[in-house]
Amino acid sequence: MPLTVAEFVVRWKTYDQSEEAGAKPHFLDLCDLLGQPHPAAADSAGENYAFEKHVRKTSGAEGFADVWFRDHFAWEYKKKRKNLEKAYTQLNDYREELGNPPLLVVCDFERFEVHTNYTRTNKRVYKFNLDDLNRNLPTAGCPLPPLDVLRALFGDTDVLRPERTDAQVTQEVAKKFAKLAERLEIEGRSASREQVAHFLMRLLFCLFADSIGLLPDHLFRRTIENNRLSPSKFQRMLSDLFGAMSDKEKGIFGPYAIKHFNGDLFNSSAVMQLDHGDLGILYDVSKNYDWSRVAPAIFGTLFERSLDPKRRSLIGAHYTSEQDIETLIDPVLVRPLRQRWEEYKTRILEAREVERAEEVARDSKQARLRVDRESEKLLGQWIDELTAVRVLDPACGSGNFLYVALRRMLDLWLEATKLATEEGISLVVPKMVSPRQLYGIEIEFYAHELASVVVWIGFLQWKHEHGVHEDREPVLEKLHNIEYGDAILRRDAEGKPCEPQWPQVDFIIGNPPFLGGSKMRHELSNEYVDSLQQMYAGRVSAGADLVTYWFEKARAEISAAQKLRAGLLATQSIRGGVNRQVLDSIKASGDIFMAWDDMPWRLEGAIVHVSIIGFDAGHEMEKTLNGERVEAINSDLSSGHDLTSAQSLDENRNLCFRTNERGGPFDVDPETAAKMLKAPLNVNGRSNLDVLRRFVGAADITGRSRDMWIIDFYGLTEAQAAKYEIPFETLKHRIEAEIEATKNSSKPLKRRDRWWLHRRPGSDMREATSDLPRYIVTIRHGKHRPFVWLDHSVVPDSGMYAFAREDDYFFGILQSAAHEIWARRTGTQVREAESGFRYTPTSCFDTFPFPWPPGKEPSEAEDPHVKAIADAARELVRLRDAWLNPPDIDPAELKNRTLTNLYNQRPAWLANAHEALDRAVFAAYGWPYPLTRDEILARLLKLNHERSAAHPPAS
């Protein structure tokens, strides 16, 4: 029957009998507590879950595991107060025979220890007792609530994986620190945000140092615990501790000698005043969390958010994990270093074989006295080489990429020192990989300050995990090679814009800021963007995204240094349009050796889709795209046919246009439109129908029509527009209301000079379609690529492109597989994968070769191929319209009849209609049917080259 935690604790706290008598009852009670079936009920045969599981020890002797649950745990009991280490040793003897379960549990009825046994991860022990179970809160020995740990034994054991636990603990402590930061800022303590940030970084480092033994005997934790009810006393003691940590001589704190920390973090004894509430938070985070397990790869991001009031809401949101960062770090940095290490390792082992042979042939004592061993020289050369590697992150944030790079280089260093031990190779004072090899540039003050702390915590944590003794002083150093400044544009002594010099390094890695070209002026100011574009004119296209400037800077560094490698993240739009110029330049001066064209990535609380690009001077011969070996990677991050070589065709000019961009409250709902249209004639004798037009957005194309209208004074002066009284006054009132609503905001709206007109009315599109009864449109981006007809009286929204043709033949070519396959390869993926790809006229349409140059194709009467395409297009449109708007359909069902749903389902009749269209289009090209995607692209690319060579675009 169910058992409460309190009942379980009381029952087993007083138990003091033998292990044999208590093991089964204790475990059965635990099952009742957790609502789990007993072993016999869950598995009567005992094949997967049993008491007293018979095993053979590694020594060959036989034994029994007290409880065993396949793929979950093995459990060993001991009598109260007995040595649990012996129980764990006993389980280790059994684990292979038990299928190597992921968790090994030892228990003496009051104390629990859950040891992780996952492959390729660090070991972790979750320790708690009955009192901890009763409180069910995290402790320094158990970073998760004990009940969660026990539940994980029977359920999702991966919950207890060290990396999962570290991430969870890190998020929790970041939230706690956010509360403390908020209290220190808002309670009038006359401290700047810089002072608060510096003080909090001191506290967090003390918590970490206390957990790994850099501060002796947990003195920081005990100082908090003993003085949490006396803020003034704690403040005096904290000042004394900071003073001791900053003392170049041996600092003294009570009976303890304190190491010299410094590094500008502990450069004085100054502290901030804390009250009882602040100390309560500090006591919580010191008592209930093991700070040695904080994950620096994500802590920097989360703590940075805690320091910024605008970003505190993101603390519990997604973060860039260490595994994400490794996607870039491993191929760019680790792979070449490991290849180099393997080369050295082979030579070292060969040298050791020779040296051992010499020892056999000579007197062993004489051989040991030799000081010119080749193996020692080689190993020393490798360590010299590894410890000379310099890594730059030119947008380093709080240091997460640098931290992961440091750990991976330390892992290689450890392999070398282990080889020295195994092979008996002498390394007198081996150099060690250190944070001094890391370089960074960061424009955000808090992130820059935090980067050094994150890197040092990561360094010290790695040493602690791997048993590398920390005896150097000062413990910390100020990383002057992490700069506070702008990585792409600065001002010289005279205030003129200048291009910053990046430090000379071997590798460039990072995640530069994502900001679209259209948003840069709003976020960065016109002056900054003008200076930036002038500085990089000819190298980066005007209007390109901000991230492209980091790519160009890295490319220039590689071109100058040759041996340098770089790996950077970008939005997927870097593959096309004006952004792709930087990748074209990279290909021209070097090459791309690694790329992911579409990778989910965690950024600022959301999962976005990015491109990851590794490039060098062209030395790397192994190319990988999306994790697969390829012969080459094109600048649009594709392999195979290089569609980036396609040229714009003069014959396609003046056919595809951007559409209308409103830029104001011009929309009119159906009811309001009906009232305006029923109003009496205006003073000019004209109806409001002149300036009230049907309006269609992308949602009306892919979904159901919203029957929207729009006020459109295109071509009218303000005085002329005013004569359409109701629409004019309605628009004027709306704009004045919007201006009034924002007048007290940081960015108030201002009335434009030509406020009654749309911001970009699409004049060229209107002129090109003015004499056409209908024209073609497609949405700018979407999962599917539908083309539809619009009546000439309808105004399309800016989320679409318009094609100034009225014939079914032209529609059929656009809607064919040939054009869609070309457009998908030459367009770009939008941020969210479900939103599909972006149709870009310059790359998707201007380069597309039609069967005949547009305007020179024969008529339907003149050529049966043209007629076949037109007939197939008409039939496709007829069938789609019949499905979208059938007569006598239930209104609820009608809502689901959308083009998106239709193409998601793609019924047989639709597939057949598209096949008929594709057959007709292929025949017009003179192609067989069917063709593969690659065959279609190859034929279109060849045709593009032929057309562009015969008729180059007019200058």
Side-chain angles (χ1 to χ4, degrees), residues 553-843:
K553 279 285 291 180
R555 184 210 62 79
E557 295 289 323
I558 289 172
S559 183
Q562 288 297 304
K563 292 183 180 180
L564 184 61
R565 287 163 70 101
L568 298 173
L569 268 76
T571 55
Q572 289 186 328
S573 60
I574 198 169
R575 298 184 291 158
V578 296
N579 291 322
R580 201 178 66 213
Q581 178 187 336
V582 295
L583 299 188
D584 291 335
S585 298
I586 286 171
K587 292 282 291 181
S589 63
D591 207 357
I592 298 171
F593 62 81
M594 178 277 297
W596 293 84
D597 67 342
D598 178 10
M599 171 69 73
W601 193 265
R602 294 165 179 83
L603 179 71
E604 288 298 299
I607 296 179
V608 299
H609 286 257
V610 303
S611 294
I612 304 176
I613 304 162
F615 51 103
D616 67 354
H619 303 305
E620 177 63 74
M621 293 297 102
E622 182 178 322
K623 309 291 196 295
T624 58
L625 177 63
N626 300 326
E628 302 291 334
R629 289 286 297 271
V630 294
E631 290 297 319
I633 301 173
N634 304 319
S635 59
D636 63 351
L637 304 189
S638 66
S639 61
H641 306 295
D642 186 5
L643 268 61
T644 65
S645 66
Q647 302 295 310
S648 292
L649 301 175
D650 193 55
E651 62 204 41
N652 289 7
R653 278 190 176 187
N654 301 319
L655 287 172
C656 181
F657 301 94
R658 290 186 64 175
T659 49
N660 182 80
E661 182 181 337
R662 305 186 304 286
F666 294 91
D667 296 7
V668 180
D669 60 61
E671 294 77 15
T672 304
K675 292 178 182 178
M676 289 184 179
L677 294 174
K678 290 178 181 177
L681 296 179
N682 291 289
V683 295
N684 58 5
R686 305 290 299 177
S687 164
N688 286 331
L689 185 60
D690 290 352
V691 296
L692 202 64
R693 300 183 65 182
R694 292 291 302 274
F695 167 68
V696 171
D700 298 295
I701 300 298
T702 59
R704 300 298 303 177
S705 172
R706 298 168 295 168
D707 193 24
M708 293 297 292
W709 295 69
I710 193 170
I711 297 171
D712 184 15
F713 293 122
Y714 176 70
L716 301 183
T717 65
E718 183 176 3
Q720 290 171 329
K723 292 177 181 177
Y724 294 91
E725 184 176 352
I726 296 177
F728 184 86
E729 294 299 331
T730 298
L731 178 62
K732 182 180 178 182
H733 174 74
R734 288 178 180 179
I735 289 175
E736 288 175 347
E738 284 191 354
I739 293 171
E740 178 66 23
T742 64
K743 69 178 182 180
N744 294 322
S745 69
S746 59
K747 294 181 180 179
L749 292 178
K750 295 180 181 179
R751 180 179 291 190
R752 291 185 285 114
D753 291 340
R754 297 165 66 83
W755 59 270
W756 69 96
L757 299 175
H758 298 173
R759 180 182 289 136
R760 295 186 182 89
S763 300
D764 52 353
M765 181 270 294
R766 292 177 189 250
E767 182 177 347
T769 60
S770 61
D771 294 330
L772 301 178
R774 63 179 184 175
Y775 59 95
I776 306 165
V777 296
T778 191
I779 56 178
R780 182 176 295 181
H781 56 76
K783 181 179 179 181
H784 305 292
R785 180 52 47 200
F787 291 83
V788 300
W789 291 108
L790 286 186
D791 185 87
H792 78 283
S793 64
V794 178
V795 177
D797 175 60
S798 59
M800 290 181 282
Y801 292 109
F803 301 84
R805 291 283 293 249
E806 61 172 331
D807 55 303
D808 294 297
Y809 155 79
F810 196 85
F811 181 99
I813 300 295
L814 291 180
Q815 190 64 83
S816 71
H819 182 243
E820 178 167 357
I821 289 170
W822 181 268
R824 283 189 181 274
R825 268 292 305 273
T826 55
T828 54
Q829 184 77 30
V830 296
R831 223 172 118 157
E832 301 300 334
E834 190 63 21
S835 299
F837 75 99
R838 179 180 287 108
Y839 189 93
T840 307
T842 53
S843 58

Side-chain angles (χ1 to χ4, degrees), residues 123-233:
K123 301 297 183 183
R124 177 66 50 81
V125 184
Y126 299 87
K127 298 181 180 181
F128 56 93
N129 58 31
L130 289 175
D131 288 335
D132 296 326
L133 180 62
N134 206 22
R135 286 189 293 269
N136 199 36
L137 295 172
T139 66
C142 185
L144 299 178
L147 268 177
D148 289 357
V149 175
L150 292 174
R151 290 188 181 107
L153 293 171
F154 298 87
D156 182 7
T157 58
D158 279 351
V159 168
L160 302 183
R161 280 185 171 273
E163 65 271 21
R164 289 266 296 268
T165 305
D166 291 347
Q168 183 173 339
V169 169
T170 304
Q171 276 198 305
E172 289 176 2
V173 297
K175 290 178 183 178
K176 305 279 187 183
F177 258 78
K179 292 180 181 177
L180 185 56
E182 189 172 5
R183 289 178 60 87
L184 293 178
E185 285 175 7
I186 67 175
E187 296 191 3
R189 307 190 195 197
S190 66
S192 66
R193 288 182 61 200
E194 288 81 0
Q195 289 172 318
V196 170
H198 191 71
F199 179 63
L200 289 172
M201 281 187 271
R202 286 177 155 199
L203 293 178
L204 78 87
F205 190 85
C206 283
L207 288 163
F208 171 76
D210 184 276
S211 292
I212 68 168
L214 286 174
L215 289 174
D217 201 19
H218 297 300
L219 68 87
F220 186 63
R221 185 175 278 113
R222 290 191 296 105
T223 300
I224 296 170
E225 182 176 1
N226 295 337
N227 299 282
R228 69 183 188 275
L229 301 179
S230 179
S232 59
K233 185 178 179 182

Side-chain angles (χ1 to χ4, degrees), residues 850-892:
F850 283 76
W852 294 273
K856 296 183 179 181
E857 64 275 326
S859 67
E860 290 187 38
E862 295 169 334
D863 192 290
H865 292 306
V866 175
K867 186 175 189 308
I869 293 170
D871 286 343
R874 282 189 284 267
E875 178 64 4
L876 173 63
V877 172
R878 185 190 70 78
L879 292 172
R880 288 195 320 200
D881 288 345
W883 185 87
L884 289 169
N885 298 291
D888 303 323
I889 190 174
D890 181 82

Side-chain angles (χ1 to χ4, degrees), residues 32-33 120 138 145 278 281 353 375 475 498 548 582 660 667 721 826 843 881 884 906 949 951:
D32 292 340
L33 168 66
R120 295 196 301 273
D278 305 326
I281 295 173
E353 287 297 315
S375 61
V475 175
C498 64
T548 60
V582 295
N660 182 80
D667 296 7
T826 55
S843 58
D881 288 345
L884 289 169
R906 202 171 182 86
H951 302 284

